[in-house]
Amino acid sequence: MNPDEQAAAAVLTSYQDALNASSTDMVMKLYAPTGILMAQHYPSSIGTAALRQAYDTIFNTLTLKVKFTIEECNQVAPEWIFARTSSAGTATLNASGEGGPEANQELFVLQKIEGAWKIARYCFCTTNPPRT
């Protein structure tokens, strides 16, 4: 990886840490102001206010303990990188304490803004088998 790709990979590690800390504030520091979250089964969350609301809802609903693996991280332009990751761990419902395996594949588009890499777009889908 070149230095920009290494810096973007560090953002992804920080994102993993923010999820595991259930910290909307930590997550928000990693997103571009015009960032978009495209979560499976939900409409896109576009911009700072919608992102904050989405992550507050996620963290109020469940606790994640996940580990990201960077499958690829490619700089495609001086200010743009895409990264493909996979993640695995557990998700626990806060209301009931019930939990189970959590596994996803993810696609991140990162943008260099004022010298710092930020998440511009993020989408994910589960790799767990369908529930019966």
Side-chain angles (χ1 to χ4, degrees), residues 73-94:
C73 186
N74 297 301
Q75 188 166 15
V76 294
E79 295 180 348
W80 294 98
I81 287 178
F82 75 82
R84 183 176 60 87
T85 63
S86 57
S87 61
T90 60
T92 303
L93 294 173
N94 294 334

Side-chain angles (χ1 to χ4, degrees), residues 30 52-53 61 65-66 74 95 105:
L30 303 173
R52 180 169 290 283
Q53 181 179 14
T61 304
K65 295 299 175 203
V66 294
N74 297 301
Q105 56 188 350

Side-chain angles (χ1 to χ4, degrees), residues 43-128:
S44 296
S45 298
I46 302 170
T48 302
L51 286 168
R52 180 169 290 283
Q53 181 179 14
Y55 282 98
D56 282 345
T57 300
I58 291 167
F59 297 142
N60 286 331
T61 304
L62 54 87
T63 299
L64 295 165
K65 295 299 175 203
V66 294
K67 170 96 173 102
F68 278 72
T69 300
I70 298 171
E71 307 294 351
E72 60 182 312
C73 186
N74 297 301
Q75 188 166 15
V76 294
E79 295 180 348
W80 294 98
I81 287 178
F82 75 82
R84 183 176 60 87
T85 63
S86 57
S87 61
T90 60
T92 303
L93 294 173
N94 294 334
S96 67
E98 294 178 25
E102 175 76 4
N104 290 290
Q105 56 188 350
E106 301 94 6
L107 184 64
F108 291 87
V109 178
L110 295 100
Q111 182 180 12
K112 196 173 200 178
I113 300 172
E114 297 178 5
W117 288 101
K118 301 289 184 177
I119 299 168
R121 305 291 183 271
Y122 169 48
C123 68
F124 67 89
C125 65
T126 187
T127 56
N128 283 334

